[in-house]
Amino acid sequence: MNQQISPWVLVCVIAAVILAIILVNFFSNLFRRRKLRRLLAQSYGQPRSIVDDSGSLDCIAAYWRHERKNAVFAIDDTTWSDLDMNRLFSKLNHTCCSVGEEYLYSVLRLPDLQGERLCLWEEIVRYFETHEKERAQTRFFLARLGKSTDNGVVDFFHNLQERVLPYAPLYPVLSVLAACGIISLIVLHAIGLPFFLGITVLNMVVYYKLHAGVEAQLRSVDYIQAMAGCGQHLAATNMAGFPPAAETWKADIKPLARMGKLTQFLLPSGMSGEANSIWEYIRMYFLLDFVAYGRLVTHIRRHREAYLSVYSGIGRMDAAIAIASYRQSVPYFTTPVFSTEHAIVMERMVHPLLENPIANSVTLSKSALITGSNASGKSTFVKALAINAILAQTVHTCLAGRLQMPYSFVVTSMAVRDDLEAGESYYIAEIRSLKRVLDGLKTGVHTLCLIDEILKGTNTVERIAASASILHDLTAHDCMALVATHDIELTEMLSPLYDNFHFTEEITDERIQFSYKIHQGRATTKNAIRLLHFMGYDEDTIQEAENLAKHFEKTRSWSKLVP
């Protein structure tokens, strides 16, 4: 005789399973949170190794791509590449969540040439520098939000019409039918079994057929609900003395609270192990992913501006804490002093990407030519100034003892490369890059223009003539140019318009010693031929090169070589 299972037994079994899920999840989260707080405390203010973020940078740059559409000034791709700013971003990226690193990347590419944003930025950074308890709690919530570089949140917000699921009204109906299936099984037993199995199979087929096509959108929804939860925690955190102007986003968290609770119930985050596996099957059976997704898309369309406000509010806090951490990780730094005088005063300025940089101090009152031997430090100095000028006007932080400068748009022409696929020679690439610099001067804003090895891709006579003319043209605009060059002739031709500085070295029979220190005046030493000796070239070749150079310097003509 078949014995029927009591409905109350099934109810108890289900309740026991749910209780087990809750307990496992509770203790798992408790241990993870303790570990996370410990790791965060240890990592703050520690130097960050440069990592290869090239695979994820396209995702990280998503917020920047939308922000630049309304930006007046932005660091262009050429300048960004010339200065190896991706590696610098990696070094500055002490952020705890994806929202923060996307915001930080955007900040680094959008200089503030009026100072309004920089003042508020500095207030936020200083607050977190001096309020350890609030900083630790904020970083904890940000780290729980975490990083998911392919979250697609920004593009999701800006393309909502394309994110609506097909047959969206159907999924809540199927979810209700799934609940009815369980009830019928409990109440009707064997009679309700076919209905239960039928709805189970149907929902599983729908889940697997649809899930693969909308997986990216589901990741976005998952991160958005986590972001809303993070925003609620941060808004509820007591941060006495925090700049009021940086808290305006907290008023926008209220419309998100109700939807946040719903999605957190339907799609709870933070589960692991067996609890996560069990909950995964529950989500499949009830199609909770698609139900929550549809509700959230509708809610975002209604409150899109509030979501964007919370996104930027969270991002700014995380990015500001990252810069506070970076400041503590370096031997010294300064905040810039902006002046109306078109002069740059730098003391103990270093290149942020070098492990053991040599500091330089100099005052530039007008455009300048930097000459010197190979590998003496010309290019590094020019790049150091460009990078620090960008950092000054984006994150209000410079690696120097002092940096005084006018607000300046930074543009460079340095790491020029030929383009074989486009059939573009090195020289064509050079003049195209320089033309972009000249066109940029038409905006009328003060520009800091930095050029390395101008027009080295063509013959000597035309290089010097064209270089002199282009550099002369720069002085007709509101521009300060800093140009590294080997062409000593330019220092003579442009002496009334450009100051001269140089780098030098000390040569002995055994080695060449560089000081990497900048000096006033044009370079008086050369080492190109001498370097042949240290590379093991034949002495006859070296001697012949020296004789040819001496003859040219004396007669301004080249000797003819014979067999």
Side-chain angles (χ1 to χ4, degrees):
M1 183 175 179
N2 294 330
Q3 292 184 348
Q4 292 186 345
I5 300 175
S6 170
W8 293 108
V9 173
L10 288 175
V11 171
C12 291
V13 170
I14 293 173
V17 170
I18 294 174
L19 180 61
I21 292 174
I22 293 173
L23 290 175
V24 169
N25 193 50
F26 173 79
F27 286 107
S28 177
N29 281 336
L30 182 63
F31 290 130
R32 281 207 309 271
R33 290 178 184 183
R34 289 178 179 177
K35 182 179 179 181
L36 179 59
R37 288 185 185 276
R38 185 172 63 253
L39 291 175
L40 290 172
Q42 293 171 352
S43 65
Y44 181 79
Q46 296 301 310
R48 189 175 188 272
S49 300
I50 297 176
V51 296
D52 183 8
D53 291 326
S54 56
S56 58
L57 277 173
D58 185 62
C59 298
I60 292 173
Y63 184 66
W64 137 253
R65 284 195 294 271
H66 288 282
E67 288 294 296
R68 71 176 174 182
K69 295 176 183 177
N70 300 317
V72 179
F73 299 104
I75 305 300
D76 66 19
D77 291 340
T78 300
T79 299
W80 188 264
S81 176
D82 283 347
L83 301 176
D84 210 0
M85 292 292 288
N86 282 339
R87 293 182 70 237
L88 180 63
F89 168 73
S90 178
K91 203 171 184 67
L92 297 175
N93 188 13
H94 292 224
T95 57
C96 295
C97 67
S98 292
V99 179
E101 66 180 357
E102 290 171 17
Y103 190 92
L104 178 61
Y105 183 91
S106 181
V107 165
L108 288 170
R109 298 203 65 163
L110 296 174
D112 180 5
L113 303 187
Q114 295 180 327
E116 296 176 0
R117 177 175 59 80
L118 289 176
C119 291
L120 177 59
W121 173 267
E122 183 61 27
E123 285 186 61
I124 300 172
V125 174
R126 295 255 175 133
Y127 177 86
F128 285 119
E129 284 178 330
T130 55
H131 291 73
E132 183 177 353
K133 180 181 177 182
E134 290 81 356
R135 181 185 70 225
Q137 186 68 357
T138 300
R139 291 187 80 216
F140 173 71
F141 291 133
L142 294 170
R144 286 181 63 193
L145 174 58
K147 293 187 178 182
S148 174
T149 52
D150 59 347
N151 61 75
V153 168
V154 176
D155 291 330
F156 192 97
F157 286 146
H158 289 87
N159 298 282
L160 285 170
Q161 191 61 40
E162 302 173 9
R163 309 304 181 190
V164 178
L165 290 178
Y167 312 110
L170 177 63
Y171 310 118
V173 175
L174 292 176
S175 184
V176 171
L177 290 176
C180 293
I182 293 178
I183 294 173
S184 68
L185 183 64
I186 294 174
V187 175
L188 302 177
H189 306 301
I191 298 176
L193 182 60
F195 178 70
F196 171 77
L197 293 176
I199 194 63
T200 299
V201 172
L202 176 61
N203 281 5
M204 290 296 179
V205 170
V206 170
Y207 181 88
Y208 282 110
K209 198 169 185 63
L210 187 62
H211 192 274
V214 297
E215 189 173 0
Q217 291 97 308
L218 291 173
R219 280 199 304 269
S220 297
V221 165
D222 191 47
Y223 200 81
I224 289 171
Q225 68 95 359
M227 183 194 77
C230 175
Q232 291 175 56
H233 286 301
L234 292 174
T237 302
N238 182 23
M239 292 196 290
F242 194 73
E247 292 189 303
T248 54
W249 66 272
K250 292 184 178 181
D252 294 315
I253 200 68
K254 295 179 181 178
L256 279 58
R258 181 179 177 184
M259 183 54 61
K261 291 177 181 178
L262 174 64
T263 54
Q264 283 176 17
F265 171 74
L266 295 177
L267 304 174
S269 58
M271 286 189 175
S272 61
E274 294 79 3
N276 187 59
S277 299
I278 294 171
W279 190 253
E280 183 71 20
Y281 285 111
I282 294 175
R283 289 166 65 175
M284 291 180 189
Y285 178 73
F286 287 100
L287 298 180
L288 294 184
D289 288 1
F290 307 138
V291 173
Y293 180 91
R295 293 289 301 273
L296 191 56
V297 169
T298 301
H299 193 264
I300 293 173
R301 293 175 69 176
R302 190 178 300 124
H303 301 284
R304 177 176 171 273
E305 295 305 317
Y307 276 96
L308 289 171
S309 174
V310 171
Y311 179 97
S312 62
I314 292 174
R316 180 166 53 188
M317 293 176 75
D318 195 13
I321 294 174
I323 295 304
S325 177
Y326 174 72
R327 287 178 175 182
Q328 187 167 315
S329 73
V330 296
Y332 62 89
F333 74 93
T334 189
T335 55
V337 176
F338 294 105
S339 170
T340 55
E341 297 180 10
H342 285 188
I344 299 177
V345 180
M346 63 194 85
E347 297 177 3
R348 296 187 298 129
M349 185 191 71
V350 297
H351 194 300
L353 290 175
L354 299 183
E355 289 297 327
N356 298 295
I358 302 298
N360 272 292
S361 301
V362 70
T363 297
L364 302 174
S365 56
K366 61 181 179 181
S367 295
L369 297 174
I370 312 293
T371 51
S373 305
N374 296 286
S376 60
K378 304 185 304 297
S379 299
T380 300
F381 175 79
V382 172
K383 290 180 179 180
L385 175 56
I387 291 173
N388 276 289
I390 290 174
L391 292 179
Q393 298 170 112
T394 55
V395 294
H396 209 242
T397 304
C398 311
L399 264 63
R402 179 190 178 203
L403 180 62
Q404 178 179 315
M405 61 176 289
Y407 288 108
S408 310
F409 181 65
V410 179
V411 63
T412 67
S413 179
M414 293 182 178
V416 178
R417 301 176 184 86
D418 55 12
D419 190 340
L420 297 179
E421 292 184 2
E424 188 172 86
S425 69
Y426 186 91
Y427 178 69
I428 294 297
E430 278 188 300
I431 60 176
R432 189 186 301 278
S433 178
L434 288 168
K435 181 63 165 59
R436 147 191 151 272
V437 172
L438 292 170
D439 289 343
L441 298 178
K442 297 175 183 178
T443 60
V445 67
H446 182 70
T447 301
L448 178 59
C449 172
L450 303 113
I451 304 172
D452 187 27
E453 302 296 348
I454 184 170
L455 298 182
K456 64 180 180 180
T458 190
N459 64 82
T460 303
V461 174
E462 289 187 300
R463 178 180 70 248
I464 294 173
S467 297
S469 181
I470 291 171
L471 297 180
H472 183 222
D473 190 10
L474 291 178
T475 62
H477 298 84
D478 188 7
C479 167
M480 176 179 285
L482 196 64
V483 184
T485 180
H486 284 288
D487 294 322
I488 297 296
E489 295 88 344
L490 292 176
T491 65
E492 300 170 357
M493 298 170 69
L494 297 167
S495 59
L497 303 172
Y498 283 73
D499 284 337
N500 286 298
F501 296 89
H502 72 278
F503 286 81
T504 188
E505 72 288 326
E506 181 182 336
I507 303 177
T508 66
D509 291 337
E510 291 78 23
R511 62 181 183 141
I512 295 181
Q513 180 68 42
F514 296 103
S515 67
Y516 303 111
K517 287 289 190 178
I518 194 169
H519 303 275
Q520 285 194 323
R522 62 175 63 96
T524 58
T525 61
K526 301 172 184 177
N527 69 9
I529 296 176
R530 190 64 175 168
L531 283 173
L532 298 179
H533 168 74
F534 293 106
M535 294 300 294
Y537 276 69
D538 186 81
E539 286 299 324
D540 290 339
T541 300
I542 297 172
Q543 188 60 51
E544 183 177 56
E546 289 178 344
N547 292 337
L548 288 169
K550 289 177 182 178
H551 182 270
F552 179 80
E553 290 176 349
K554 184 177 180 180
T555 65
R556 309 304 293 176
S557 64
W558 291 106
S559 300
K560 186 175 182 180
L561 299 178
V562 296

